[in-house]
Amino acid sequence: MLTGRRYDLAADRTRAINRMRAQLLEYFPALERTFDYAASKSALILLTGYQTPAGLRRVGPSRLAAWLKNRKVRGAQAMADAAVAAAQSQHTAVAGESTAAAVVNTLARAVLALDDEIAGIDAQIAVRFRERRDADVVLSMPGMGPLLGAEFIACTGGDMDAFGSSGRLAGVAGLAPVPRDSGRISGNMRRPHRYHRRLLRVFYLSAQIAARFCPTSKTFYDRKRAEGKSHKQAILALARRRLDVLWALIRDQRQWTAQPPQPGLTGAA
């Protein structure tokens, strides 16, 4: 329930930011392209107080910086300078500007509220996830944090026996090809059309992270790229490899290590 709620909130946040940027683009394009509203909480705070070129020009960079500092915004002066510079580049008031500005204000506040709710749910997810028996095993895998780990548990129910094999789990996650035989043609394989998209997302995102920060995963990724595979194909191949590894680690109740396992043990990393 918690991971599903977080997924919905993240989608709501994305929609609100896209709508806010589209509204800004209609009457204040210079400000819309000045900041990354999806990643910057400070830019959202700015929009809760000032949304129009005239308003920003009137307050000026010094007073705007002081206003931002009072709201604990980092780099307040640089942000104030950038916002006022954007306002100085536009002196024409667009029809409906005040109404559009009010909508932007409302959407910015809504995104900030969503951020607070998401942070609260993240804390709950982390606590509940660490109560699971397999939490330490999952977290030992490079690229798997509490959120992706909790998503993995939520998608699988935490019971690997229900799938029977890592190949079956890979099929559910969309990481294993299925036959596309027809008539006299056999051995034709394709990616499945029906699969668990949230489970695929877990392994795809964790593989992307591991390909950057885990030497073992990076070596595997580089080898696939050298074989002529695209970035997406290499990440999917790495995701499948990591699924097999995680399956074996949970089965053996071992934590991930870059060193090969001792003879007689399974679940090599």
Side-chain angles (χ1 to χ4, degrees):
M1 287 187 292
L2 290 173
T3 56
R5 176 59 178 160
R6 190 192 189 282
Y7 188 86
D8 290 341
L9 289 173
D12 291 343
R13 183 183 190 274
T14 299
R15 281 193 293 269
I17 287 176
N18 289 341
R19 183 69 187 91
M20 184 184 69
R21 293 187 63 183
Q23 195 74 72
L24 265 176
L25 194 60
E26 291 180 359
Y27 77 95
F28 198 172
L31 187 63
E32 187 276 334
R33 62 174 174 263
T34 298
F35 302 114
D36 182 358
Y37 298 98
S40 174
K41 182 178 179 180
S42 301
L44 295 171
I45 292 174
L46 170 68
L47 291 179
T48 63
Y50 300 92
Q51 309 88 24
T52 63
L56 287 169
R57 287 196 301 271
R58 188 162 51 247
V59 71
S62 298
R63 288 169 56 197
L64 180 58
W67 185 87
L68 292 171
K69 285 178 182 178
N70 288 337
R71 286 154 182 80
K72 302 186 182 339
V73 171
R74 295 182 179 180
Q77 189 61 61
M79 174 165 283
D81 292 340
V84 174
Q88 294 290 357
S89 68
Q90 179 177 330
H91 289 267
T92 302
V94 178
E97 181 181 274
S98 59
T99 301
V103 172
V104 167
N105 184 355
T106 300
L107 289 170
R109 293 180 185 277
V111 174
L112 289 171
L114 285 170
D115 285 343
D116 290 340
E117 189 172 355
I118 289 172
I121 287 182
D122 286 350
Q124 294 180 60
I125 288 174
V127 171
R128 294 297 300 272
F129 172 66
R130 291 185 182 279
E131 295 173 355
R132 303 290 304 192
R133 183 193 69 164
D134 300 327
D136 289 338
V137 175
V138 175
L139 289 176
S140 71
M141 282 283 291
M144 292 288 283
L147 293 181
L148 288 179
E151 188 84 3
F152 170 74
I153 296 296
C155 292
T156 60
D159 182 11
M160 297 297 101
D161 293 337
F163 295 93
S165 68
S166 62
R168 172 61 179 158
L169 178 60
V172 173
L175 290 172
V178 296
R180 192 183 182 181
D181 298 341
S182 173
R184 290 180 245 173
I185 300 175
S186 62
N188 188 12
M189 308 295 287
R190 63 168 174 82
R191 286 193 64 198
H193 293 304
R194 300 178 63 183
Y195 54 89
H196 199 305
R197 281 168 170 75
R198 286 175 60 185
L199 188 57
L200 175 62
R201 177 178 174 273
V202 169
F203 285 104
Y204 191 86
L205 291 180
S206 66
Q208 280 190 312
I209 297 170
R212 293 182 58 192
F213 301 107
C214 172
T216 303
S217 296
K218 188 176 186 306
T219 299
F220 182 90
Y221 170 83
D222 290 341
R223 185 168 73 249
K224 292 299 177 182
R225 291 287 280 163
E227 293 172 1
K229 295 187 181 298
S230 67
H231 168 73
K232 183 178 180 179
Q233 289 173 327
I235 290 294
L236 287 172
L238 176 59
R240 172 59 197 271
R241 172 73 173 270
R242 286 165 52 82
L243 182 149
D244 291 338
V245 172
L246 183 58
W247 171 277
L249 293 178
I250 293 175
R251 179 195 61 200
D252 300 337
Q253 283 299 292
R254 295 193 307 109
Q255 294 192 16
W256 184 90
T257 173
Q259 300 299 322
Q262 297 297 322
L265 295 179
T266 57

